[in-house]
Amino acid sequence: DRLPYADQLERERQVLSRLMVRYPREIEPYDLSISAALEYQLIHPELLANLQQEYRSRATGHPDDPLALYIAADALYRTNTPESIRLLERAQSLAPSFPWPTLKLAQIYNDGKFADKAKFNDQLTKFWTACPASQDQRAQWLLVKNLELQKKVAASLRPMLAKSNDPGRLKDYEFLWSLEFRTTSPKEFPALRQQVAAD
């Protein structure tokens, strides 16, 4: 935090680049790199343009790699959304159990010019079916828009958390409780509060 702005940006770029080299099949460094480029887009528009070109070239060179397709689609989202959708659908067809293209499509169909309630609900349901204990904040935020799916996620998450002895999952109770209170009749709140106390 004490570094000058330009040095912070360069340090972040260096760290993420090293992580991508060390873990080439992990999504998180790519997502963070794209998020950083979007954050600095007004000041450094070339960052996003360079990433888009690099990731699109990689996807073109590896048209059967769902990860390469997803990363390119993620970088193109909002600047060339139709191409992003095309790449995500291709990634889904190649690897139906790979959840990240599904989540990105749900995000695209959630609002704006490409909003489509049926497609949004379909993609969001596919994601939460594949990842019922997801800790992804985007996925949790999108879930708020589908009450029936919230009930299903809460019902599948509760037994998972009850069996887990991983301290890192304890914060998931907060997410579970929010789902349960949103999907429960206020008449049943006293019993639900007792369950929260027991948890």
Side-chain angles (χ1 to χ4, degrees):
D1 289 342
R2 295 184 182 133
L3 290 173
Y5 165 77
D7 294 343
Q8 285 180 23
L9 187 58
E10 180 56 23
R11 175 82 173 128
E12 185 173 12
R13 192 195 64 72
Q14 288 173 0
V15 170
L16 289 172
S17 294
R18 284 198 300 269
L19 285 170
M20 287 177 215
V21 169
R22 188 168 178 187
Y23 306 104
R25 304 299 296 172
E26 288 293 326
I27 287 177
E28 191 72 14
Y30 296 100
D31 277 350
L32 290 171
S33 184
I34 292 165
S35 294
L38 285 167
E39 183 180 336
Y40 301 121
Q41 191 173 10
L42 291 176
I43 303 165
H44 298 288
E46 74 284 356
L47 293 175
L48 183 60
N50 291 343
L51 284 181
Q52 287 175 332
Q53 184 177 357
E54 177 187 344
Y55 297 159
R56 198 170 191 179
S57 295
R58 188 178 303 170
T60 302
H62 300 91
D64 294 327
D65 180 356
L67 179 63
L69 296 170
Y70 166 78
I71 292 167
D74 193 17
L76 291 169
Y77 173 51
R78 290 207 166 103
T79 56
N80 188 347
T81 305
E83 178 64 3
S84 181
I85 292 170
R86 187 189 73 75
L87 293 168
L88 292 166
E89 288 175 346
R90 171 82 176 138
Q92 265 189 333
S93 70
L94 291 168
S97 62
F98 181 42
W100 301 111
T102 304
L103 180 59
K104 183 56 73 174
L105 283 168
Q107 192 177 353
I108 290 170
Y109 294 134
N110 178 47
D111 63 2
K113 185 164 102 169
F114 297 92
D116 184 314
K117 189 173 181 180
K119 288 181 179 178
F120 164 74
N121 284 319
D122 179 54
Q123 296 296 331
L124 193 65
T125 300
K126 284 180 186 175
F127 177 81
W128 280 103
T129 301
C131 304
S134 176
Q135 294 179 313
D136 186 273
Q137 289 185 344
R138 292 169 299 178
Q140 291 180 356
W141 180 82
L142 290 171
L143 186 60
V144 172
K145 302 197 171 209
N146 187 319
L147 189 65
E148 285 306 309
L149 187 56
Q150 288 179 58
K151 290 178 186 176
K152 291 178 183 174
V153 170
S156 64
L157 185 57
R158 176 163 283 291
M160 285 183 210
L161 290 178
K163 286 188 256 180
S164 177
N165 54 12
D166 176 3
R169 298 301 313 224
L170 288 176
K171 64 182 178 180
D172 291 341
Y173 272 104
E174 185 177 352
F175 173 57
L176 172 64
W177 298 329
S178 70
L179 291 177
E180 289 177 333
F181 275 102
R182 281 199 301 269
T183 59
T184 301
S185 163
K187 293 176 189 174
E188 298 172 38
F189 281 2
L192 189 51
R193 286 188 186 99
Q194 286 181 345
Q195 177 65 62
V196 169
D199 293 340

